[in-house]
Amino acid sequence: MIALSLIPLYLVAVTLPLILAAIFGGPPRPFHQELASGLGILAFAIVLAEFVLSGRFKSVANRIGMDVTMRFHQLMARTALLFALVHPFLYQGSPSGGQRPWDPSRQLTLTTDLSALATGIAAYLLLPSLVLLSIYRTQLDYKYETWRLMHGISALLIALFLLHHTIYAGRYGAETPLTWLWVAMTAIAVGSLIYVYLIVPMKDKRQRWQVSAINRLSPRQWEVIVSPRGHSGLNYKAGQFVWLNIGHSPYSLHENPFSISSAPSSGPNVSFVIKELGDFTRSLHQVQPGTRAYLDGPYGSLTIEDRCEPGIVLVAGGVGIAPLLGIVREIRLTGDPRKVRLIYGNRTEEQILYADELADEDVTHVLTEPPQDWQGETGLIDAILLDLILPPVQVQDWLFVLCGPSAMMDTVEDYLIARGTPSGRILSERFEYD
């Protein structure tokens, strides 16, 4: 319901320039020219709105949900790209040239001023590069911090290039109300970058943390525990995540999102379960207790507070156990009477974490490469397995909380929807977004 309530606000934000163009733009031109201008206006407005849909604004991401926020961010980025790519070709066949005394409103001619067109061409080339690099970033061999830097700089340049192009090459952008609106919207977009990369780190700097313990849980999985220094800690809900920065300046790009595996009721220390995947995680063995750390958060809506379902099914794949472990721990500490069932998938037995701690829970372990003496379930967490272990009453009435690889989560979500589970009773959080 919250997500639906924000849709009108988004639509107003991205269509307001189009509405003002219709009001102040003068007599209409041929349809193909109006369509070209309209697509260009919408593309620019969507690009500017993308800055707020970056996932780093709690008022947006925590209310709507990180999955919805990031999927919408992806969809609208590709929509803006489509509009932008089509936009210039619709002007074909239109008269062009410099401004003429008999055409002060540029209703009959298009500008050929290279300075006005150059920024549009630059943005035209940068935007598809930005989208494609985001889609294929996991397949490309460069650091996450490098991608973040490239993504931020490219987005900033695209916004500034489009502002110049829209005002100086566009018929409607030259109108005073439109000019001020575009400047204001661009300022908000640029301001969001300043907030994320300067203001937030400034706040984080005042709340310093330090690594109090780091433990190897399996050959490639670690437990990291941080403690607050000079403050009361983090106000979070079980299942949320933070951006964790260990050993770097709060202004550094060396921060990564990790789910919190501790329970809010367990005290001020915050713990994480981290798998070795990238450059930072592969260097965890070098981190020493006492190393400074910074936390930006909490983020995410993978929480069970204020839910009224009689029971909860937690489905974890691999390191996706982290936020679900925090939920299990919080339920224990608070005496929550709801029934809990955990389905926990891994590749090998040695990857199962906190087996002793979870032994008292109703847990089903699933391995794709089980040992010969394995007594649990085997294979993937799929429809066949779920039909086998989930009674119909749980599928119909319980809350489902999912975290793990996208393929597993897609399978479970499709299964639940097909069996009649309302989408509002399926909470999920993915690890990767293109």
Side-chain angles (χ1 to χ4, degrees), residues 207-365:
Q207 291 195 320
R208 184 173 174 179
W209 298 71
Q210 74 173 25
V211 176
S212 56
I214 181 165
N215 307 303
R216 187 186 290 273
L217 301 174
S218 76
R220 294 184 58 200
Q221 297 179 102
W222 297 79
E223 177 187 57
V224 177
I225 303 175
V226 297
S227 304
R229 303 294 296 172
H231 58 93
S232 59
L234 182 70
N235 182 20
Y236 67 98
K237 299 176 182 178
Q240 291 190 299
F241 71 93
V242 299
W243 288 76
L244 177 64
N245 174 339
I246 294 180
H248 298 279
S249 161
Y251 300 97
S252 170
L253 292 177
H254 289 79
E255 57 175 0
N256 296 270
F258 293 112
S259 295
I260 301 171
S261 59
S262 54
S265 300
S266 64
N269 289 354
V270 177
S271 65
F272 307 90
V273 174
I274 301 175
K275 183 178 181 179
E276 293 182 12
L277 290 173
D279 296 286
F280 163 69
T281 55
R282 292 194 186 102
S283 65
L284 284 173
H285 65 281
Q286 301 175 358
V287 176
Q288 298 295 321
T291 303
R292 68 179 178 179
Y294 298 96
L295 273 59
D296 174 26
Y299 294 94
S301 58
L302 198 73
T303 62
I304 63 170
E305 291 189 8
D306 302 321
R307 305 293 305 209
C308 58
E309 292 83 359
I312 306 165
V313 178
L314 307 172
V315 184
V319 76
I321 190 64
L324 308 190
L325 186 64
I327 292 174
V328 171
R329 288 170 167 171
E330 183 69 3
I331 287 174
R332 283 183 186 168
L333 290 173
T334 59
D336 192 320
R338 285 175 289 185
K339 297 179 180 179
V340 177
R341 181 164 199 174
L342 172 63
I343 304 172
Y344 184 14
N346 283 286
R347 184 172 58 86
T348 63
E349 187 175 11
E350 69 179 2
Q351 293 175 335
I352 298 175
L353 305 182
Y354 304 99
D356 293 340
E357 181 179 347
L358 295 172
D360 295 334
E361 305 297 329
D362 181 4
V363 56
T364 300
H365 290 287

